[in-house]
Amino acid sequence: MTRVLVVGHGMAGARFVQELRTRDPGRRFELTVLGAEPEAAYNRVLLSSVLAGSLAPAEIETVPSAWYAAEDVELRTGVTVAAIDRRRRRVLTTAGEHVPYDHLVLATGSRPWVPPIEGLTGDDGELDRDVAVFRTLGDCRAMLARLHRVRHAVVLGGGLLGLEAARGLAGRGIAVEVVHPADRPMERQLDLDAGRVLARTLRSLGVHVRLNAGAVRFTDGWGGGGRGLRLEDGTRLPADLVVVACGVRPNSALAAAAGLETGRAVVVDDTMTSVTDPAIHAIGECAQHDGQVYGLVAPAWEQAAVLADVLSGGPARYGGSAVVTRLKAAGVDLAAMGETDVDDFADGVEVLRFADPARGTYQKVVIRDDRVTGAIMLGGPETVGAVTQLFDRAAPAPADRRALIFPGVAASSADAADAPDDQTICRCNGVTAGRIRAAGAGTVAEVAATTRATTGCGGCRADVAALLASRSTVEVPA
């Protein structure tokens, strides 16, 4: 029996175990999972919904603990690995235990980066009592436990995670300021105009974004004896809570200490195998493939499926992922993909654009050689499905380009009910319209249980509901 040891029980590690067991009906693999967190596997993407109060922690669980026992998988939570012994093919835990392996799968994810701002940490390097990171369910629970005494919160970082945390806090009635050093929020995904529209939309939802701003000190002695954050320009912001969302760093130190090649993360080939040791593999945020480190769930799940197939003797190879970023915040509907900040008048480029800032709408589609190579779809989600499909498949854009922005202009607009069977509805899990129809399910929940559709970012939920409704004359609960 081949011993497969998985280090990491996040979204990548948990999915890999499921994928491998699906391909292993004869139980050729002895599977052990070591997770540093004490939690059951959960959907980290939905943490902002837990923070906002729209979901309970139990509702974001992805793999029930009972599944592991039923599938003869040894799951050990609250276990941290201290070292890898490549010569003896075993790992050493911080408790002093050695766990052997034939194949080691690193799915250790990332850790938050805390900038060197005075007052965020104490002399011991630990976070101040009123400073939090937003990365795990434990982090989320810790914030929830203190919200009863928080009136003002400052979020450091206006990227995807920072905005989701800010919107979640604002949904609790807390006054929220986002401090961001760039000239727009989500500058890696949005152009300047889209960033402005997004900032305006967030302001209407109770989140004020301060751009081109940097913090220098978190300090006591605020008005009324409170605490606050001082900015570089001298501005003082009251802050009962500071949430750090300034980016993450891959957890690759364990691999580097074992002599594996690392760049920004563990360097792997197309089989998700370390280029240094054929017995060690990496997936998710701790893996670097072809120079890329992906920080989203869909690529991690693609990598998990490839590695499971490879270990099972299959031909799968990973060729990289076409990334679509979705902001998951109540009241904001945003998807961004590919190249977005391009010169409208560059040779060989078509740029379609529609903006209605007062209504929170900004849509932009970039076309090269008759193919969609980038898009920003903020507000007005009616055509995002069609644009995403064209981007994913590199399929020809419609002759009437207006159909990419305005629904109803042409038949190619996104109508999930009429989607062909081979059209992908759930990008996170790669679920097509045909699979959803074939599942024979009557509700979105049944579709999720059967196909996993909607269990990633949740952005396809309305499309799944539309597919189901098209098959029945009765109303399908969403």
Side-chain angles (χ1 to χ4, degrees), residues 39 50 75 107 120 126-127 155 177 207-208 225 262 269 290 293 305 329 406 464:
E39 317 282 354
V50 175
L75 170 63
L120 295 187
E126 296 296 318
L127 291 176
V155 177
E177 298 259 6
V207 176
H208 180 69
T262 58
D269 60 20
D290 195 25
V293 178
F406 300 109
V464 172

Side-chain angles (χ1 to χ4, degrees), residues 337 364-365 372 374-377 383-392 403-405 412 414:
M337 61 204 80
K364 177 180 180 179
V365 180
V372 174
I376 301 170
M377 310 297 284
T383 61
V384 66
V387 172
T388 302
Q389 287 295 322
L390 293 171
F391 173 74
D392 278 341
L404 297 174
I405 292 179
S412 61

Side-chain angles (χ1 to χ4, degrees), residues 6 14 36 96 137 157 163 170 181-182 228 236 251 269 296 301 305 308 327 342 357 390 398 431 443-444 454 459 464:
V6 182
L137 187 52
L163 296 183
R236 299 169 64 159
N251 283 323
D269 60 20
L296 299 174
W301 283 350
L327 178 62
V342 298
L390 293 171
V431 183
T443 67
V444 173
T454 76
V464 172

Side-chain angles (χ1 to χ4, degrees), residues 16 39 46 61 120 135 141 168 188 192 243 318-319 344 387 436 443 446:
F16 166 76
E39 317 282 354
L46 299 178
E61 184 178 287
L120 295 187
R135 181 66 181 165
R141 284 194 171 112
R188 294 183 179 180
L192 185 58
V243 179
Y318 183 66
D344 291 21
V387 172
I436 294 171
T443 67
E446 290 173 358

Side-chain angles (χ1 to χ4, degrees), residues 222-312:
W222 228 248
R227 313 189 78 189
L229 197 72
R230 185 184 296 277
L231 305 186
E232 291 172 337
D233 64 0
T235 300
R236 299 169 64 159
L237 302 177
D240 305 308
L241 174 67
V242 174
V243 179
V244 179
C246 299
V248 296
R249 301 292 185 269
N251 283 323
S252 56
L254 188 66
L260 300 178
E261 182 178 341
T262 58
R264 289 185 293 148
V266 183
V267 180
V268 297
D269 60 20
D270 291 351
T271 67
M272 305 312 298
T273 300
S274 162
V275 297
T276 309
D277 188 331
I280 300 180
H281 317 269
I283 56 175
E285 292 176 315
C286 70
Q288 177 177 318
H289 174 268
D290 195 25
Q292 295 292 316
V293 178
Y294 297 92
L296 299 174
V297 64
W301 283 350
E302 291 174 20
Q303 294 170 3
V306 167
L307 180 56
D309 193 69
V310 167
L311 293 187
S312 303

Side-chain angles (χ1 to χ4, degrees), residues 7 25 31 49 66 115 117-118 152 155 177-178 202 205 215 338 386 389 411 445:
V7 177
L31 274 167
S49 297
I117 295 171
E118 183 181 348
H152 300 275
V155 177
E177 298 259 6
V178 174
L202 289 167
L205 297 170
Q389 287 295 322

